[in-house]
Amino acid sequence: MKKLKESGLTKEELIEAFRHVLRGRRLDERLWQLTRIGKTSFNISGQGAEVGQVAMAMAFDSEKDYFLPYYRDMTACLAWGMTTKDIILGSFGKEADPSSHGRQMPNHYGSKEHNIISHSSPVSTQMNVATGVAYAALLEESDSVSVATTGEGSFNQGEVAEAMNFAAIKKLPIIFVVENNLWAISVGIEEQYANEQMADRAQAYGFEGIRVDGNDFVECYTAFKKYVAAAREGKGPALVELMVSRMTSHSSDDDQSIYRSKEELEEMKTKDPLAAFQKQMIDEGYLTLEEIEVMEKELKSEINQATDEAEAMPDPDPAEILVGVWAEDDK
Ligand SMILES: Cc1ncc(C[n+]2csc(CCOP(=O)(O)OP(=O)(O)O)c2C)c(N)n1
């Protein structure tokens, strides 16, 4: 694993990165609890991808860049600027939910305030929307960069080819990201693709692609930094394949023990990115175990408070269910 000091980030920034990773994990655990006690209807989680997601988000300028996430990107959205309460409001489907005011499914993250654009449920359609956003940046001569993520199964959708081809032709400021967790619901990679790496596909379109270890914060951060700088300078798109784990079932509606072997699930526990990042932060002298325990307590009360506040907020009025769904309304 690359040493954290090679990131060029300050101690404070690295501690903030770790806090995002820990917040993402603990908040997701809360979202699972809420589904299991029947207070919310659904959760789909990014446990196993948090370190790569935070490294990605921190390589962008969230003030001016655009993020088009997919449903596993909660931790990336936190690192991009959304709050714990924003996320829980979405889970409860409350009127104050910044993603869609309770009109979308949970986990379809969006925030007008933070340039995060909510995706549609047909997978990978955000790749084309992100390409359009990047084209707008080019036409408007702004130096903003777009980033769109998807899973490795969804990356095989036909529209991804259209998005990458158009982005390459126009040299658009966009980074395409595949979070490769080796599974598309119950379908393993042998039935998803025959090429060796998703990153290799970039070459066919005329730009660079790279596969990085999603547990290695610095490897991910450095790759994104390089491609974001190039895109901002007008050098066009790049593709980053983040190798991550899917530590949970696909969603709160399935049971992965039916289609994944016990051995695989056991082995995955040894590759937990939170545990690896925590060890690295301690070993390299950025945090002590005691400081992490304090952070755990702070996050627990932050999540408890946000849960209580979000739960107490009003649901959308059924009579207004289409308000904000169409473009003419400015919600
Ligand atoms: C066009 C389309 N086909 C099928 C689905 C149903 N579906 C939702 S998620 C998913 C699996 C996606 O797997 P992958 O892209 O590997 O991402 P992961 O969930 O593993 O992160 C499928 C088939 C969908 N939402 N949209």
Side-chain angles (χ1 to χ4, degrees):
M1 210 125 68
K2 288 204 166 80
K3 293 270 184 248
L4 292 169
K5 69 167 188 272
E6 289 175 44
S7 66
L9 292 169
T10 62
K11 181 178 179 183
E12 288 68 32
E13 287 167 330
L14 287 165
I15 292 173
E16 203 45 31
F18 179 76
R19 193 189 303 274
H20 285 311
V21 168
L22 192 59
R23 178 182 283 117
R25 178 65 61 87
R26 299 295 173 245
L27 179 52
D28 190 65
E29 288 166 353
R30 169 58 51 88
L31 299 184
W32 278 90
Q33 287 170 342
L34 291 171
T35 65
R36 293 305 185 234
I37 59 174
K39 288 205 173 193
T40 58
S41 58
F42 182 75
N43 188 39
I44 187 161
S45 81
Q47 288 190 34
E50 297 98 331
V51 167
Q53 288 185 9
V54 170
M56 167 179 71
M58 287 181 70
F60 288 84
D61 180 345
S62 59
E63 298 281 309
K64 63 177 169 189
D65 294 335
Y66 283 84
F67 184 24
L68 290 92
Y70 88 122
Y71 46 77
R72 288 200 201 283
D73 281 328
M74 181 188 77
T75 303
C77 289
L78 290 168
W80 197 281
M82 289 183 80
T83 66
T84 298
K85 190 171 168 187
D86 288 342
I87 302 290
I88 302 184
L89 282 165
S91 260
F92 279 116
K94 297 292 185 178
E95 178 62 31
D97 154 38
S99 295
S100 70
H101 301 273
R103 270 65 168 177
Q104 264 273 40
M105 275 180 80
N107 312 92
H108 287 53
Y109 305 108
S111 166
K112 200 168 178 179
E113 183 188 354
H114 298 295
N115 298 340
I116 300 175
I117 299 179
S118 175
H119 68 300
S120 298
S121 293
V123 293
S124 280
T125 43
Q126 68 275 17
M127 303 312 241
N128 306 67
V129 179
T131 303
V133 173
Y135 193 28
L138 183 81
L139 296 176
E140 288 170 357
E141 298 179 10
S142 105
D143 70 344
S144 80
V145 177
S146 296
V147 51
T149 54
T150 196
E152 84 289 342
S154 311
F155 198 62
N156 302 306
Q157 290 287 120
E159 54 263 66
V160 178
E162 297 174 27
M164 296 215 297
N165 191 48
F166 188 77
I169 292 166
K170 299 283 182 192
K171 279 199 178 309
L172 297 183
I174 179 165
I175 314 295
F176 297 102
V177 182
V178 185
E179 296 185 28
N180 188 344
N181 60 23
L182 312 179
W183 287 91
I185 311 186
S186 57
V187 177
I189 48 169
E190 6 15 276
E191 290 182 78
Q192 292 183 48
Y193 57 90
N195 54 311
E196 204 176 316
Q197 303 188 2
M198 286 303 187
D200 293 341
R201 291 192 186 171
Q203 217 183 356
Y205 296 93
F207 53 88
E208 279 185 38
I210 189 173
R211 173 183 267 198
V212 289
D213 175 358
N215 275 19
D216 188 327
F217 181 86
V218 179
E219 190 183 329
C220 297
Y221 180 74
T222 318
F224 279 107
K225 268 302 223 200
K226 173 179 151 192
Y227 289 125
V228 172
R232 224 184 279 295
E233 284 167 21
K235 294 188 179 145
L239 169 63
V240 180
E241 179 181 16
L242 282 178
M243 296 309 294
V244 297
S245 300
R246 197 191 83 195
M247 294 179 66
T248 62
S249 291
H250 173 72
S251 76
S252 52
D253 291 349
D254 71 314
D255 174 4
Q256 64 178 351
S257 69
I258 293 167
Y259 51 83
R260 294 176 82 176
S261 71
K262 264 196 188 123
E263 294 72 31
E264 186 195 348
L265 293 175
E266 276 310 309
E267 205 216 322
M268 189 173 48
K269 286 187 197 155
T270 66
K271 294 185 186 151
D272 180 347
L274 170 60
F277 198 29
Q278 173 161 324
K279 183 172 182 319
Q280 198 180 12
M281 290 295 284
I282 294 172
D283 290 352
E284 295 178 28
Y286 291 93
L287 282 171
T288 63
L289 202 51
E290 293 69 38
E291 286 167 332
I292 292 171
E293 277 163 13
V294 172
M295 208 184 266
E296 289 270 20
K297 283 202 183 105
E298 288 166 356
L299 288 171
K300 192 172 182 183
S301 67
E302 174 185 305
I303 292 167
N304 282 344
Q305 190 182 340
T307 307
D308 291 345
E309 286 177 11
E311 192 178 5
M313 295 193 74
D315 293 326
D317 177 354
E320 293 199 352
I321 205 65
L322 290 179
V323 173
V325 172
W326 309 112
E328 63 269 16
D329 188 279
D330 193 34
K331 270 209 156 184

